[in-house]
Every structure is written in C-alpha cells, then in structure tokens.
Amino acid sequence: MEIKTVKTEKTVFGGNTIAKIDSKTVFIPYSMPDETLSVNIVQHKNDYDNAEIVEVLKPSRHRVEPPCKYYGSCGGCNMMHIDTDYQREIRKGMLCDAFGMNKIDIQDKVEVVYGPDFNYRSRFQFIDGGLSQKKSNNVIKINECLCAEKPVNDFLQNTDFEKRPKGRIHYFGSEKTEGENKLKIEKTEEKKLPSKKDKKIKIKERHYFSGTILSEENTVTVNLNGKKLSFDVRGFFQSNLNVFEKVLNLILENLPGGKNILDMYSGCGSISLFLTDKYENVVLVEHNRDALVYAEKNLSGLNHTSYGLSGEAWVKNCSSFCPPFDACVVDPPRSGIEKAVMDYLCKSKIPVICSLSCDPSTHARDCSRLIKAGYELEKIYLLDFYPHTSHIESLAIFRLGL
C-alpha cells in the first residue's frame, strides 16, 4: 500500500474530489472539499493518480452517514455521504466550471430546480433483478433502493430475488402511472436455442427496438401536469417525474407563444404535448421512429408535424420547407447538438431557444456557439434530477439579441 495524507480541494465533474501530492493531482471518490484524509494510491497515471480513502482524519462538516446499506458497493449513487444541500451546491459548482471552461460566467445566473431527495426515481434497468456492483460484473441482490419510487420498492420487497425476471430488464414504476398497476416490467420474448443451420446466418443486432406497432405489453402511460403521456418501457423517458413536471412548467413560462415551434430531438413528444398549449403548430424531429410512433399517439388530434429523421437529415432535406419558427426547444443526447443542427440554429434567427442537456460539457460548448451567433443567455437552471449522484442536467433560455 502507498499511504499518503492529503487535504482535499474541490469536487469535479464525475463526483471525485481532487487533492495534490507534490503538485500532482489525485482523484479521490467518496470524499468532498476541505477534508483531511489518509489515502492509498491505487493507480498511477502520467498526469494524475487515483486513490481510495483509508481513513477520514478530519471530516467536512457536511459529511453524513449514508443511509443506504448498499452505498459504496452499488454502482449508482456516489454523493450520499454529503448532506443534500451541499450536494446541490457542489453540482452547481460543476455546472459553473463546465461553462467557465467555455468562457461563460453563469455563477450568478444559476437557479437550482429540485424535488424530493429520496424515493424519486421511477425508471430502472435491473440485471437479473438486481443492480451492478461498482467496478464489477457482480449483481447486488437488493431488496430496496432509497432512490426508487414506492411501486419499484414494493416489487423489490415482495418478490424473491430468484423469481425476478432474468437478463437486463427495464422497469418503470411511479405513483403517476395510470391504472391500478403502477409498475411496468419489460416483457421479453423467449429466445430459442439456435440450430446448426441458424448459426450459419449472421444476424445484425439492433441497439434499440424498432417497428411501428405499439406494444401494449410494454406501454406505460403516466399523468404529468394533468396530461397523459405514453411511451415504451424499453425506450427513454425521464426518471424523476416530480422534477420533470417543474421543468415542463419552466419551459412554458419562458416561451412567448405563437404560431410555430420546433421541438428538436422530440422523443415520444413528452415536451411537444405541452407546447401545443401555447403554439398553433408543433414540428417534431426525432430519429428514433419507435419513439415518434408514441409521439403520434400522444399528440393525436393536436396540430403538429412529425419528421422521423436525424437532425442533420432534417436540416438538409426539410428545414427549408418549414414555416418560420417563433421558438425552439432542443433536447439532444449526451453528445450534444449535431453540427448541422447547430449551424441551422445559429443562422435561423429563431427569437427564443430553450436548450436542454444531460451533459454540462457539451451543453457549455453548444451554448457558447449560440452566444457567438448573437443569442443572449437569459436564464440557466440546474435540473437536479438525480440526488445523491454527480449527474447534472441543465436548461438554458436564449433570446436573440437586438
């Protein structure tokens, strides 16, 4: 063992706190700023080292006893040893740092949007009925998750581990789910063992489900802010519905209303449905046509136009045929806004752009380009969807400068 005593400095994106040993940066999980620690250096790199805590010699006043019995073993939460108010302060600092690296000062502009600290999460992917162990392929046989909503925990507490579905299975359980059964578990088809003849046929695997037939077995319907939204339990949907309802309200509050609005990367229409309250026509762009099938279901009878294309393909082939937009909502994947879409937005002169993101680094990069194109960053929100983790989502409101 290579034991060192260090004084921690700041927590960085990813949840580790840094310290210095002979001017070399050391990353330490499960720590926080202003602590004195005895650590073991477990990995040497050219520019930094990784360490683990041997003993907390002088704890921060914000250190608390983690209430979860799986904490430290489960690969989910990594900030449960920090009191919740200070967690949010740290995540705010991470967001400011990401934007600061792109020369955007948001220190006095960030508003934190949050909900309950526990029992907030509705969407899970369990492996053989459990959760992955940290840095391992082992499965932890959990009977409760403090972050999970009640319907998920009811299942975990009342279903023996051996009787839970095997494989990587999607679960969605929320008190906001329509119907008596508040938990939906992915239904999978039994796979037959391949014959010798079948083994000769190479099958290209799909990394997401596809088709245009709605599967009732896998359809979830939730009630958000008085509206019903349906989606496939296997597809993407927000995991913290309490915070998502607040985000929907914020988006509507910051939009002026008008004739046409663009919803880029619209998914199943979870935002588009609410945009119909303020706009005569909503244009949806989404490459995953399975999600778009649900969007059609969710927006049935409401004025909208859907494009089952990537953002880049829509810009190239369809954008010139669309009417002028009064506003735009853009909610890209973790990689950020496609270059073609960003080029389009910068030239579009759309008066208001609401930019959502699940990655602060790519969000800061994209926001920087909008600012250079003449947009003013009016407001920015830290969306605290995942308490006790270092995951950050954000919403930025842009208005075209005069």
Side-chain angles (χ1 to χ4, degrees), residues 33-45:
D34 300 318
E35 292 193 313
T36 303
L37 308 172
S38 173
V39 301
N40 177 34
I41 307 300
V42 295
Q43 188 178 45
H44 288 286
K45 297 286 187 178

Side-chain angles (χ1 to χ4, degrees), residues 184-240:
K184 177 73 72 170
I185 301 175
E186 174 188 354
K187 301 296 182 184
T188 57
E189 297 180 2
E190 291 186 11
K191 296 180 179 179
K192 297 180 181 179
L193 292 174
S195 65
K196 290 183 179 179
K197 183 179 179 181
D198 293 332
K199 288 181 180 179
K200 295 179 181 179
I201 303 172
K202 291 184 178 180
I203 300 174
K204 186 177 180 181
E205 292 186 4
R206 298 295 297 272
H207 295 288
Y208 57 88
F209 61 96
S210 62
T212 55
I213 300 175
L214 300 180
S215 166
E216 291 300 324
E217 283 190 326
N218 286 313
T219 296
V220 183
T221 301
V222 295
N223 191 312
L224 298 182
N225 290 342
K227 293 182 184 289
K228 293 182 181 180
L229 271 165
S230 296
F231 56 95
D232 195 297
V233 69
R234 300 166 294 178
F236 173 78
F237 199 79
Q238 284 291 352
S239 302
N240 187 329

Side-chain angles (χ1 to χ4, degrees), residues 158-170:
N158 298 321
T159 308
D160 292 339
F161 184 78
E162 291 73 19
K163 295 181 180 179
R164 298 174 190 174
K166 302 303 177 186
R168 192 178 292 272
I169 304 295
H170 296 83

